[in-house]
Amino acid sequence: MRATFNRLFHALSGISLPRALAALRLLLVLLVMAAAVGSLCAFFLWSLDTATRARFDHPWLLFLLPLGGAAISLLYRWLGQSVEAGNNLLIDQIHEPGGGVPLRMAPLILLGTVVTHLFGGSAGREGTAVQLGGALASGAARLARLNAQGLRLMLMAGIAAGFGAVFGTPLAGAFFALEVLAVGRIEMAALIPCLIAALVGDWVCGLWGIHHTTYRIPFMAWPNGAAPLDPLLIGKAGLAGVAFGLAGLIFAEANHALGGWLKKVIPHPALRSIIGGLAVIGLTYAVGTRAYLGLGVWSPDPAMPTIVGFFTTPAAPWDWALKLLFTVVTLSSGFKGGEVTPLFFIGAALGSALGAALGAPVDLFAGLGFVAVFAGAANTPLACTIMGLELFGATHMVPIAVACFVACLCSGHNGIYLSQRIALPKFMGRPVPQGTTLRDVRGRRHRNKT
């Protein structure tokens, strides 16, 4: 016992006063930043809910979508060209710290996302929360005069705080910030700062009275929380994971392909948004429903397909594909928001339909798709598995993990974040230089085709 105490004493006494003060200063900056991100996310979620309710109450707002998109594009052209890259800018700055992220990213992305949802664009909220976190973290690092390593750490913590606060999943937020930077590698050195930031961001967001949607999976939810592992059910989860991974791949590639093509044929961003807005209106009337607009989490019309509804009623086989189409058109034409909540819709709809087709529990497979399509599209299977545990409970841990990791494998070296580096290739026998970005892989693949 005395020997242990002596080792601890010598270890502590070896910490210099300047180093201790630097660590304390970093902790204080981290706490203030995370609290600010949580507060801003609370305001964002309140604004988003208000905009969504206004859209439901006033259906004619959809016809202003082209003008709203043009206004967003012009605003970014005048004030936000340096932050147009969004989440990819954050990832690049973490890998190669430079000037940081301009603070104006925060108001621009917040306003742009609310306008998109007010007029009916199909987009998400994760991108906005992550960019809010990154912008505030970068500003805090500049005020505190942190060095490049400090800036890198703060940016990761800002991502964790934003993601954790906007979804109410702080553990997933922390691991998302650690895992999203590179395929096959987790930045464990930043675990504690990211975990602190995600927890504080989520707590502060909750203190403002923000409540997150509750998802329930009654299947196997026994009182003692235990359940035997059914090999057939796990096999079905793995099979569904293949479909989830391919859906994530299709979403990412369609988004990049259409966005790149539109920039070539319609160089002016405002005109792209006008045409994209008109296309969304046309699609809405072509399919005869407004179910694929906005977030798609809930609807005042119980007959509408929604994420919540997919956990109780089998989805139509085409629900996931139509939501994918609406979202790709919206985001590719310059509207702001994120990809993740639409991916939740796509995954829950696809999982619900697959569950019914495979003779599996619809609620469970809706939950598997909810997190696994995102895992495949973002290459973050561990964070998505943890998100599934936070949202649905540990009872379903094994099928959640199987679906997420299979989906990530099947999505290949593709993803919604092209600035992601490849630390370890997903497939043996296919060497990829370490540090290669998904953008480089995609460009090389297209050059080989031509």
mmCIF file of all heavy atoms in Angstrom, residues 409-438:
data_model
loop_
_atom_site.group_PDB
_atom_site.id
_atom_site.type_symbol
_atom_site.label_atom_id
_atom_site.label_comp_id
_atom_site.label_asym_id
_atom_site.label_seq_id
_atom_site.Cartn_x
_atom_site.Cartn_y
_atom_site.Cartn_z
ATOM 1 N N LEU A 409 -18.886 -1.877 -43.576
ATOM 2 C CA LEU A 409 -18.048 -2.651 -44.490
ATOM 3 C C LEU A 409 -18.596 -2.598 -45.912
ATOM 4 O O LEU A 409 -17.850 -2.421 -46.877
ATOM 5 C CB LEU A 409 -17.970 -4.100 -44.005
ATOM 6 C CG LEU A 409 -17.113 -5.050 -44.842
ATOM 7 C CD1 LEU A 409 -15.643 -4.651 -44.767
ATOM 8 C CD2 LEU A 409 -17.291 -6.496 -44.367
ATOM 9 N N CYS A 410 -19.920 -2.734 -46.039
ATOM 10 C CA CYS A 410 -20.531 -2.816 -47.378
ATOM 11 C C CYS A 410 -20.613 -1.467 -48.084
ATOM 12 O O CYS A 410 -20.854 -1.433 -49.297
ATOM 13 C CB CYS A 410 -21.919 -3.442 -47.267
ATOM 14 S SG CYS A 410 -21.887 -5.190 -46.807
ATOM 15 N N SER A 411 -20.445 -0.378 -47.367
ATOM 16 C CA SER A 411 -20.476 0.933 -48.039
ATOM 17 C C SER A 411 -19.163 1.250 -48.733
ATOM 18 O O SER A 411 -19.072 2.211 -49.507
ATOM 19 C CB SER A 411 -20.804 2.040 -47.027
ATOM 20 O OG SER A 411 -19.758 2.191 -46.077
ATOM 21 N N GLY A 412 -18.124 0.445 -48.477
ATOM 22 C CA GLY A 412 -16.850 0.636 -49.159
ATOM 23 C C GLY A 412 -16.156 1.921 -48.760
ATOM 24 O O GLY A 412 -16.453 2.524 -47.730
ATOM 25 N N HIS A 413 -15.204 2.350 -49.603
ATOM 26 C CA HIS A 413 -14.486 3.592 -49.340
ATOM 27 C C HIS A 413 -15.251 4.757 -49.959
ATOM 28 O O HIS A 413 -14.778 5.452 -50.858
ATOM 29 C CB HIS A 413 -13.067 3.518 -49.888
ATOM 30 C CG HIS A 413 -12.221 2.522 -49.156
ATOM 31 N ND1 HIS A 413 -11.355 1.663 -49.773
ATOM 32 C CD2 HIS A 413 -12.134 2.230 -47.828
ATOM 33 C CE1 HIS A 413 -10.763 0.897 -48.875
ATOM 34 N NE2 HIS A 413 -11.226 1.227 -47.676
ATOM 35 N N ASN A 414 -16.454 4.934 -49.457
ATOM 36 C CA ASN A 414 -17.330 6.016 -49.870
ATOM 37 C C ASN A 414 -17.880 6.655 -48.599
ATOM 38 O O ASN A 414 -17.782 6.077 -47.515
ATOM 39 C CB ASN A 414 -18.494 5.495 -50.718
ATOM 40 C CG ASN A 414 -18.032 4.724 -51.938
ATOM 41 O OD1 ASN A 414 -17.714 5.295 -52.960
ATOM 42 N ND2 ASN A 414 -17.989 3.397 -51.823
ATOM 43 N N GLY A 415 -18.500 7.823 -48.720
ATOM 44 C CA GLY A 415 -19.078 8.431 -47.528
ATOM 45 C C GLY A 415 -19.562 9.831 -47.793
ATOM 46 O O GLY A 415 -19.253 10.461 -48.816
ATOM 47 N N ILE A 416 -20.326 10.350 -46.861
ATOM 48 C CA ILE A 416 -20.878 11.693 -47.001
ATOM 49 C C ILE A 416 -19.847 12.765 -46.684
ATOM 50 O O ILE A 416 -20.012 13.915 -47.076
ATOM 51 C CB ILE A 416 -22.123 11.870 -46.103
ATOM 52 C CG1 ILE A 416 -21.808 11.510 -44.650
ATOM 53 C CG2 ILE A 416 -23.288 11.047 -46.624
ATOM 54 C CD1 ILE A 416 -22.989 11.705 -43.708
ATOM 55 N N TYR A 417 -18.753 12.396 -45.984
ATOM 56 C CA TYR A 417 -17.704 13.356 -45.646
ATOM 57 C C TYR A 417 -16.458 13.030 -46.459
ATOM 58 O O TYR A 417 -15.669 12.161 -46.101
ATOM 59 C CB TYR A 417 -17.386 13.314 -44.152
ATOM 60 C CG TYR A 417 -18.596 13.452 -43.259
ATOM 61 C CD1 TYR A 417 -18.899 12.487 -42.298
ATOM 62 C CD2 TYR A 417 -19.455 14.541 -43.380
ATOM 63 C CE1 TYR A 417 -20.009 12.611 -41.480
ATOM 64 C CE2 TYR A 417 -20.572 14.668 -42.578
ATOM 65 C CZ TYR A 417 -20.848 13.701 -41.626
ATOM 66 O OH TYR A 417 -21.955 13.827 -40.820
ATOM 67 N N LEU A 418 -16.254 13.736 -47.555
ATOM 68 C CA LEU A 418 -15.166 13.413 -48.471
ATOM 69 C C LEU A 418 -13.794 13.752 -47.912
ATOM 70 O O LEU A 418 -12.781 13.285 -48.443
ATOM 71 C CB LEU A 418 -15.378 14.139 -49.805
ATOM 72 C CG LEU A 418 -16.543 13.626 -50.667
ATOM 73 C CD1 LEU A 418 -16.667 14.448 -51.932
ATOM 74 C CD2 LEU A 418 -16.359 12.150 -51.002
ATOM 75 N N SER A 419 -13.731 14.562 -46.846
ATOM 76 C CA SER A 419 -12.433 14.895 -46.249
ATOM 77 C C SER A 419 -11.952 13.834 -45.266
ATOM 78 O O SER A 419 -10.858 13.958 -44.715
ATOM 79 C CB SER A 419 -12.511 16.256 -45.537
ATOM 80 O OG SER A 419 -12.614 17.303 -46.481
ATOM 81 N N GLN A 420 -12.751 12.805 -45.017
ATOM 82 C CA GLN A 420 -12.294 11.702 -44.168
ATOM 83 C C GLN A 420 -11.040 11.075 -44.760
ATOM 84 O O GLN A 420 -10.955 10.839 -45.959
ATOM 85 C CB GLN A 420 -13.371 10.624 -44.053
ATOM 86 C CG GLN A 420 -14.372 10.823 -42.948
ATOM 87 C CD GLN A 420 -15.348 9.668 -42.858
ATOM 88 O OE1 GLN A 420 -15.697 9.049 -43.863
ATOM 89 N NE2 GLN A 420 -15.826 9.376 -41.662
ATOM 90 N N ARG A 421 -10.057 10.804 -43.892
ATOM 91 C CA ARG A 421 -8.864 10.086 -44.305
ATOM 92 C C ARG A 421 -9.075 8.586 -44.136
ATOM 93 O O ARG A 421 -9.913 8.165 -43.357
ATOM 94 C CB ARG A 421 -7.670 10.512 -43.465
ATOM 95 C CG ARG A 421 -6.875 11.705 -43.970
ATOM 96 C CD ARG A 421 -7.662 12.966 -44.120
ATOM 97 N NE ARG A 421 -6.783 14.126 -44.349
ATOM 98 C CZ ARG A 421 -7.217 15.325 -44.617
ATOM 99 N NH1 ARG A 421 -8.525 15.560 -44.708
ATOM 100 N NH2 ARG A 421 -6.377 16.331 -44.794
ATOM 101 N N ILE A 422 -8.298 7.814 -44.866
ATOM 102 C CA ILE A 422 -8.324 6.361 -44.709
ATOM 103 C C ILE A 422 -7.076 5.966 -43.929
ATOM 104 O O ILE A 422 -5.955 6.034 -44.447
ATOM 105 C CB ILE A 422 -8.370 5.645 -46.069
ATOM 106 C CG1 ILE A 422 -9.663 6.015 -46.813
ATOM 107 C CG2 ILE A 422 -8.291 4.132 -45.884
ATOM 108 C CD1 ILE A 422 -9.774 5.402 -48.192
ATOM 109 N N ALA A 423 -7.272 5.578 -42.678
ATOM 110 C CA ALA A 423 -6.158 5.133 -41.854
ATOM 111 C C ALA A 423 -5.870 3.660 -42.089
ATOM 112 O O ALA A 423 -4.712 3.251 -42.201
ATOM 113 C CB ALA A 423 -6.468 5.396 -40.377
ATOM 114 N N LEU A 424 -6.936 2.863 -42.159
ATOM 115 C CA LEU A 424 -6.824 1.436 -42.453
ATOM 116 C C LEU A 424 -7.882 1.078 -43.489
ATOM 117 O O LEU A 424 -9.063 1.366 -43.275
ATOM 118 C CB LEU A 424 -7.032 0.600 -41.187
ATOM 119 C CG LEU A 424 -5.927 0.667 -40.127
ATOM 120 C CD1 LEU A 424 -6.367 -0.074 -38.878
ATOM 121 C CD2 LEU A 424 -4.626 0.092 -40.661
ATOM 122 N N PRO A 425 -7.502 0.456 -44.605
ATOM 123 C CA PRO A 425 -8.498 0.077 -45.613
ATOM 124 C C PRO A 425 -9.500 -0.908 -45.033
ATOM 125 O O PRO A 425 -9.195 -1.693 -44.140
ATOM 126 C CB PRO A 425 -7.657 -0.573 -46.717
ATOM 127 C CG PRO A 425 -6.266 -0.090 -46.493
ATOM 128 C CD PRO A 425 -6.135 0.110 -45.013
ATOM 129 N N LYS A 426 -10.720 -0.861 -45.554
ATOM 130 C CA LYS A 426 -11.748 -1.785 -45.099
ATOM 131 C C LYS A 426 -11.536 -3.209 -45.603
ATOM 132 O O LYS A 426 -12.027 -4.159 -45.006
ATOM 133 C CB LYS A 426 -13.134 -1.301 -45.561
ATOM 134 C CG LYS A 426 -13.600 -0.003 -44.928
ATOM 135 C CD LYS A 426 -15.010 0.320 -45.382
ATOM 136 C CE LYS A 426 -15.505 1.629 -44.800
ATOM 137 N NZ LYS A 426 -16.887 1.941 -45.214
ATOM 138 N N PHE A 427 -10.811 -3.340 -46.717
ATOM 139 C CA PHE A 427 -10.675 -4.647 -47.351
ATOM 140 C C PHE A 427 -9.215 -5.037 -47.441
ATOM 141 O O PHE A 427 -8.364 -4.227 -47.842
ATOM 142 C CB PHE A 427 -11.292 -4.636 -48.752
ATOM 143 C CG PHE A 427 -12.680 -4.064 -48.808
ATOM 144 C CD1 PHE A 427 -12.903 -2.799 -49.323
ATOM 145 C CD2 PHE A 427 -13.759 -4.778 -48.316
ATOM 146 C CE1 PHE A 427 -14.175 -2.262 -49.364
ATOM 147 C CE2 PHE A 427 -15.027 -4.252 -48.353
ATOM 148 C CZ PHE A 427 -15.242 -2.996 -48.877
ATOM 149 N N MET A 428 -8.899 -6.255 -47.088
ATOM 150 C CA MET A 428 -7.546 -6.778 -47.238
ATOM 151 C C MET A 428 -7.242 -6.984 -48.722
ATOM 152 O O MET A 428 -8.102 -7.338 -49.507
ATOM 153 C CB MET A 428 -7.402 -8.100 -46.478
ATOM 154 C CG MET A 428 -7.588 -7.978 -44.974
ATOM 155 S SD MET A 428 -7.434 -9.561 -44.122
ATOM 156 C CE MET A 428 -5.713 -9.951 -44.480
ATOM 157 N N GLY A 429 -5.985 -6.742 -49.086
ATOM 158 C CA GLY A 429 -5.585 -6.942 -50.475
ATOM 159 C C GLY A 429 -5.855 -5.745 -51.355
ATOM 160 O O GLY A 429 -5.591 -5.797 -52.555
ATOM 161 N N ARG A 430 -6.398 -4.666 -50.780
ATOM 162 C CA ARG A 430 -6.621 -3.437 -51.553
ATOM 163 C C ARG A 430 -5.880 -2.297 -50.865
ATOM 164 O O ARG A 430 -6.458 -1.515 -50.132
ATOM 165 C CB ARG A 430 -8.110 -3.112 -51.639
ATOM 166 C CG ARG A 430 -8.905 -4.121 -52.439
ATOM 167 C CD ARG A 430 -10.324 -3.638 -52.654
ATOM 168 N NE ARG A 430 -11.136 -4.603 -53.345
ATOM 169 C CZ ARG A 430 -12.409 -4.412 -53.665
ATOM 170 N NH1 ARG A 430 -13.001 -3.286 -53.339
ATOM 171 N NH2 ARG A 430 -13.094 -5.348 -54.291
ATOM 172 N N PRO A 431 -4.576 -2.206 -51.073
ATOM 173 C CA PRO A 431 -3.789 -1.189 -50.372
ATOM 174 C C PRO A 431 -4.202 0.224 -50.777
ATOM 175 O O PRO A 431 -4.388 0.517 -51.954
ATOM 176 C CB PRO A 431 -2.353 -1.491 -50.799
ATOM 177 C CG PRO A 431 -2.488 -2.225 -52.103
ATOM 178 C CD PRO A 431 -3.760 -3.007 -51.999
ATOM 179 N N VAL A 432 -4.360 1.059 -49.766
ATOM 180 C CA VAL A 432 -4.663 2.474 -49.976
ATOM 181 C C VAL A 432 -3.640 3.259 -49.167
ATOM 182 O O VAL A 432 -3.468 2.991 -47.971
ATOM 183 C CB VAL A 432 -6.097 2.827 -49.513
ATOM 184 C CG1 VAL A 432 -6.353 4.311 -49.697
ATOM 185 C CG2 VAL A 432 -7.116 2.014 -50.279
ATOM 186 N N PRO A 433 -2.910 4.192 -49.783
ATOM 187 C CA PRO A 433 -1.925 4.957 -49.024
ATOM 188 C C PRO A 433 -2.553 5.619 -47.801
ATOM 189 O O PRO A 433 -3.633 6.214 -47.893
ATOM 190 C CB PRO A 433 -1.445 6.002 -50.039
ATOM 191 C CG PRO A 433 -1.709 5.390 -51.378
ATOM 192 C CD PRO A 433 -2.961 4.578 -51.195
ATOM 193 N N GLN A 434 -1.888 5.496 -46.655
ATOM 194 C CA GLN A 434 -2.422 6.061 -45.430
ATOM 195 C C GLN A 434 -2.541 7.568 -45.575
ATOM 196 O O GLN A 434 -1.639 8.243 -46.059
ATOM 197 C CB GLN A 434 -1.527 5.719 -44.236
ATOM 198 C CG GLN A 434 -2.134 6.103 -42.895
ATOM 199 C CD GLN A 434 -1.314 5.571 -41.737
ATOM 200 O OE1 GLN A 434 -0.168 5.192 -41.913
ATOM 201 N NE2 GLN A 434 -1.904 5.536 -40.562
ATOM 202 N N GLY A 435 -3.658 8.099 -45.130
ATOM 203 C CA GLY A 435 -3.897 9.537 -45.229
ATOM 204 C C GLY A 435 -4.656 9.941 -46.478
ATOM 205 O O GLY A 435 -5.025 11.108 -46.631
ATOM 206 N N THR A 436 -4.907 8.991 -47.385
ATOM 207 C CA THR A 436 -5.703 9.279 -48.576
ATOM 208 C C THR A 436 -7.121 9.660 -48.158
ATOM 209 O O THR A 436 -7.715 9.036 -47.292
ATOM 210 C CB THR A 436 -5.763 8.054 -49.492
ATOM 211 O OG1 THR A 436 -4.442 7.699 -49.883
ATOM 212 C CG2 THR A 436 -6.594 8.334 -50.733
ATOM 213 N N THR A 437 -7.674 10.699 -48.757
ATOM 214 C CA THR A 437 -9.036 11.107 -48.432
ATOM 215 C C THR A 437 -10.040 10.335 -49.293
ATOM 216 O O THR A 437 -9.696 9.808 -50.357
ATOM 217 C CB THR A 437 -9.240 12.611 -48.662
ATOM 218 O OG1 THR A 437 -9.110 12.895 -50.064
ATOM 219 C CG2 THR A 437 -8.212 13.441 -47.895
ATOM 220 N N LEU A 438 -11.270 10.295 -48.817
ATOM 221 C CA LEU A 438 -12.332 9.694 -49.634
ATOM 222 C C LEU A 438 -12.507 10.461 -50.937
ATOM 223 O O LEU A 438 -12.886 9.876 -51.961
ATOM 224 C CB LEU A 438 -13.649 9.677 -48.856
ATOM 225 C CG LEU A 438 -13.696 8.817 -47.592
ATOM 226 C CD1 LEU A 438 -15.118 8.787 -47.045
ATOM 227 C CD2 LEU A 438 -13.205 7.406 -47.854
#
